[in-house]
DNA sequence: ACTACGAGACTTTTT
DNA sequence: GTCTCGTAGT
């Protein structure tokens, strides 16, 4: 049976496109992964390429694994030599192979975001930077943003004193990373981009090899990733990219959907193929999604359709408060389960994680099994991070971040004082903390308290003992040794909530054993570094109760790429979804709408939309207004469960938000208004001038609105007194 | 050196 | 409401 059978004409055309760069605009549920993997299989099967000539980039490890699995299912080939992975994973591979040319130590370590933030805080403390004026988070954002643009500190344009200072710190940060032999996520990409652009032989070697480059989720690529692709492709190789501009929901972390717009000209793509047939949902669901996304201006334009039936209407529920909303969802989920729908085929989606608590509570009380996605991942747990820090020290003791994490954990009497002394010494002698500690122990210098010296001496002796015991041991044994010798096991045995943590440490050993099995080749020394890289790059989907039949709880972001029989979209209120923060950002509202589009297109058969008039948020009760997105949905595709579609009855809203380009939309539906003022509305104030309403709460004489004034900033105003006029 | 308590934050997230 | 972080107290 041919690998091409069962493809629709557009899919077939995309899969069998001649050797030329191409862009495939693939809507939700249109079989984009299938097209991508079949294309690879087809290239290999028809001998246009060997597996070695193919490079495929995805966004998540999960997607990469799935792609490899599908290729192996189609072709009897060894996928081991193929380069299929995330941008970060592939760059890591490249840098490990050419660490010297890249100017990195052989065992360079990868920091995750938390490690990076800790390093930044440490850097700022060392330089005596006022963290009130320059928050560490902001510097982290600045650095990552610059790197995602492909810019080193020397290339960043600074317009004011503030960004000038940040940029100075960026330079100092890079220097510190280099000294410690650590690399952040964006650095992996930037470094390998620099490597390839600097070294002509390397560039030519890889260009000669990767004649077919395939890219998944192009709409989520950053500027730097795009440049990386361009550099690797050169003038002769083909790039086959798949993406959906309507599902671009990661602009906030540097993704730019404009890469989709410039792709055709930059890569000389002759063809753009649209995949618009959806194999997932019934027509009503797609019609709603199409109607909603039409309200966005910045689009390439595409309309999903299905050969399946019309299906049922979407159900809208108006709750009195958030507790009642959760109650409704629980009831309906129970009823669906009674009808024989698997709980794991039902998802409750929400905009922000904070909303899960109440739902969890309701589900727990009703004894419905559920699983929450997101949250702490396996390799991010503190006990695992501690063990990994010891491992990092076995690989490279100059890693200051690792030293600081475990120098006094488990407690060994090294307090802030002795630590400060050590840091000062390291700064003076321009060496790592480890070097400073070694010198201190060797020379027995400085007349500090003997107890403190003993602490540091103890630590140095411990790490040295570990390094010598571990040399020659297999990786899982190394981890066992580290957990034992460090005293982590003893420490957690003595804690009352330590059992779970001990389990996780055991799981870490298992993970290492699995890793060794899957990567049989390299030498023992590199295996440790490879495992640490694996731990940093793959935060780990490791979660308990994987296979159990449980209701799925997650944010809309984490639902991307998934599908369910039934989907609940909860908390459809102004300020929550669309989120209030998004309203003040350029393009924010359109991104929120794409997010809503993603949420809608997750459902195969049934879709519930719910909102609540009252909600506890940040410990305060807020009075919400139905999301504007509900007003962008055709009225005849919705069946209200308990509220009226009040087009006929309600008074026209004062200053109702309705952008001019919406005139063509089908009869939009009005929710009864709670306030004459709506979030997102432009207003004028006699004293503060022009602004936009970003939040509203209370009713009648208690009604207040929060307004972001262009000049005067954000203010809360009581509607009874403030003389606001619509603008 | 360690622990406890209070202030402030708090969208989304993969790598 | 709940978590993290920093400082003051033991």
């Amino acid at each position: 049976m041919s690998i091409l059978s069962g493809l629709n004409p557009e899919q077939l055309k995309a899969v069998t496109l001649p050797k030329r760069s191409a862009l495939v605009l693939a809507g939700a549920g249109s079989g984009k992964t299938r097209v991508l993997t079949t294309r690879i299989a087809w290239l290999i099967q028809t001998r246009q390429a060997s597996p070695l000539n193919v490079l495929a980039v995805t966004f998540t490890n999960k997607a990469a694994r799935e792609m490899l699995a599908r290729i192996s299912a189609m072709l009897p080939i060894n996928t081991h030599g193929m380069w299929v992975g995330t941008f970060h994973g592939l760059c890591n591979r490249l840098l490990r192979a050419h660490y010297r040319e890249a100017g990195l130590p052989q065992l360079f370590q990868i920091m995750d975001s938390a490690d990076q933030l800790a390093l930044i805080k440490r850097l700022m403390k060392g330089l005596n930077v006022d963290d009130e004026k320059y928050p560490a988070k902001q510097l982290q954002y600045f650095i990552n943003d610059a790197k995602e643009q492909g810019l080193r500190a020397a290339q960043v344009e600074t317009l004011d004193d503030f960004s000038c200072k940040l940029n100075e710190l960026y330079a100092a940060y890079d220097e510190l990373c280099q000294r410690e032999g650590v690399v952040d996520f964006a650095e992996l990409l930037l470094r390998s981009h620099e490597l390839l652009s600097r070294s002509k032989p390397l560039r030519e070697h890889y260009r000669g090899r990767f004649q077919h480059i395939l890219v998944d989720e192009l709409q989520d690529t950053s500027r730097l990733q795009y440049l990386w692709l361009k550099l690797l492709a050169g003038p002769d190789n083909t790039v086959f990219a798949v993406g959906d501009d309507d599902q671009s929901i990661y602009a906030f972390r540097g993704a730019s959907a404009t890469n989709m717009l410039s792709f055709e000209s930059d890569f000389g793509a002759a063809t753009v193929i649209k995949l618009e047939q959806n194999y997932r949902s019934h027509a009503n669901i797609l019609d709603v999604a199409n109607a909603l996304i039409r309200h966005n201006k910045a689009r390439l334009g595409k309309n999903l359709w299905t050969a399946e039936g019309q299906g049922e209407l979407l159900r809208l529920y108006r709750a009195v408060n958030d507790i009642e909303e959760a109650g409704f969802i629980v009831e309906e989920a129970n009823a669906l389960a009674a009808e024989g729908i698997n709980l794991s085929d039902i998802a409750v989606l929400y905009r922000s994680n904070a909303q899960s608590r109440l739902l969890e509570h309701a589900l727990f009380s009703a004894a419905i099994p559920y699983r929450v996605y997101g949250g702490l991942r396996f390799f991010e747990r503190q006990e695992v991070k501690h063990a990994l820090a010891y491992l990092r020290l076995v690989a490279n003791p100059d890693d200051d971040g690792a030293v600081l994490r475990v120098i006094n954990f488990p407690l060994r009497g090294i307090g802030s004082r002795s630590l400060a002394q050590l840091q000062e010494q390291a700064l003076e002698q321009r060496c790592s903390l480890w070097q400073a500690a070694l010198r201190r122990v060797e020379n027995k210098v400085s007349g500090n308290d003997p107890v403190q010296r003993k602490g540091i001496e103890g630590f140095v002796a411990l790490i040295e003992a570990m390094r010598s015991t571990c040399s020659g041991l297999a990786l899982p044994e190394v981890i066992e040794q580290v957990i034992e010798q460090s005293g982590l096991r003893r420490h957690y045995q003595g804690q009352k909530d330590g059992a779970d943590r001990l389990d996780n440490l055991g799981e870490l050993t298992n993970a290492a054993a699995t890793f060794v099995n899957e990567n049989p080749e390299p030498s023992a020394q590199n295996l440790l570094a490879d495992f640490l890289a694996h731990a940093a790059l793959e935060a780990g989907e490791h979660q308990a109760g994987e296979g159990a039949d449980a209701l799925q709880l997650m944010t809309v972001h984490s639902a991307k790429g998934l599908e369910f029989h039934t989907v609940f979209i909860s908390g459809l209120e102004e300020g929550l979804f669309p989120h209030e923060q998004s309203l003040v950002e350029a393009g924010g509202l359109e991104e929120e709408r794409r997010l809503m589009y993603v949420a809608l297109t997750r459902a195969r058969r049934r879709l519930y939309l719910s909102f609540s008039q009252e909600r506890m948020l940040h410990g305060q009760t807020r009075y919400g207004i139905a999301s504007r997105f509900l007003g962008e949905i055709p009225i005849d595709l919705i069946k209200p469960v308990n509220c009226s579609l009040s087009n006929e009855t309600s008074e026209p809203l004062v200053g109702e938000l309705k952008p001019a380009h919406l005139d063509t939309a089908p009869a939009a539906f009005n929710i009864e208004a709670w306030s004459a003022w709506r979030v997102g509305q432009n207003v004028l104030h006699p004293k503060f001038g022009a602004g936009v309403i970003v939040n509203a709460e209370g009713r009648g004489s208690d009604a207040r609105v929060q307004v972001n004034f262009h000049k005067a900033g954000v203010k809360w105003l009581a509607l009874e007194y403030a003389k606001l006029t619509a603008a």
Side-chain angles (χ1 to χ4, degrees), chain A residues 332-402:
Chain A
E332 293 292 316
N334 246 337
L336 284 161
E339 281 172 35
I341 310 284
N342 283 335
L343 282 175
S344 57
D345 214 3
I346 305 173
V348 184
L349 308 184
Y350 34 81
R351 175 67 238 270
S352 66
N353 281 310
Q355 290 166 253
S356 77
R357 221 195 71 247
L358 215 82
L359 291 162
E360 285 183 64
H361 182 79
L363 289 164
F364 185 83
S365 310
I368 298 178
Y370 64 90
R371 186 182 162 195
V372 187
Y373 283 75
L376 209 53
R377 288 215 225 12
F378 180 72
F379 287 110
E380 288 168 2
R381 290 169 194 282
Q382 68 143 13
E383 62 276 18
V384 176
K385 284 226 119 185
H386 281 135
L388 289 174
Y390 280 109
L391 284 175
R392 274 160 65 172
L393 291 177
V394 170
N396 164 28
D398 290 325
D399 185 337
D400 284 4

Side-chain angles (χ1 to χ4, degrees), chain A residues 63-196:
Chain A
R65 274 195 301 271
E66 181 172 340
M67 198 177 279
L68 279 174
R70 288 213 204 177
I71 294 170
S72 338
M74 277 187 270
L75 291 180
I77 54 162
N78 177 14
T79 52
H80 245 91
M82 286 178 74
W83 282 48
V84 176
T86 61
F87 278 103
H88 295 86
L90 297 174
C91 287
N92 177 51
R93 201 160 165 179
L94 203 66
L95 293 175
R96 296 277 165 202
H98 309 286
Y99 66 92
R100 235 185 298 262
E101 296 96 315
L104 286 168
Q106 182 174 14
L107 299 179
F108 69 87
Q109 303 292 318
I110 301 167
M111 294 184 284
D112 66 18
S113 316
D115 296 333
Q116 184 190 29
L117 187 62
L119 186 136
I120 287 173
K121 283 184 178 163
R122 188 148 50 82
L123 172 84
M124 298 199 359
K125 212 161 224 169
L127 295 172
N128 277 321
V129 180
D130 179 7
D131 57 351
E132 292 274 280
K133 197 166 171 211
Y134 304 97
K137 277 247 172 68
Q138 195 168 356
L139 179 58
Q140 181 179 31
Y141 182 80
F142 179 90
I143 291 171
N144 291 340
D145 194 52
K147 289 191 180 183
E148 287 294 349
Q149 302 290 321
L151 301 173
R152 289 287 175 200
Q155 299 153 324
V156 173
E157 271 186 62
T158 53
L159 303 160
D160 49 66
D161 290 355
F162 188 75
S163 56
C164 199
K165 180 71 181 171
L166 287 180
N167 199 43
E168 238 172 69
L169 291 168
Y170 173 19
Y173 164 86
D174 263 358
E175 216 174 282
L176 185 59
C177 289
Q178 184 68 34
R179 201 158 65 224
E180 295 186 15
V182 293
V183 160
D184 62 52
F185 287 132
E187 182 71 23
L188 287 170
L189 296 162
L190 184 51
R191 203 52 92 106
S192 73
H193 183 267
E194 286 169 350
L195 174 69
L196 289 177

Side-chain angles (χ1 to χ4, degrees), chain A residues 212-230:
Chain A
H212 296 274
I213 298 172
L214 297 99
V215 189
D216 194 13
E217 310 268 25
L218 183 71
Q219 79 281 356
D220 285 335
T221 47
S222 69
R223 177 100 202 114
L224 177 57
Q225 289 164 338
Y226 188 79
L227 294 173
W228 188 87
L229 286 172
K230 231 166 95 176

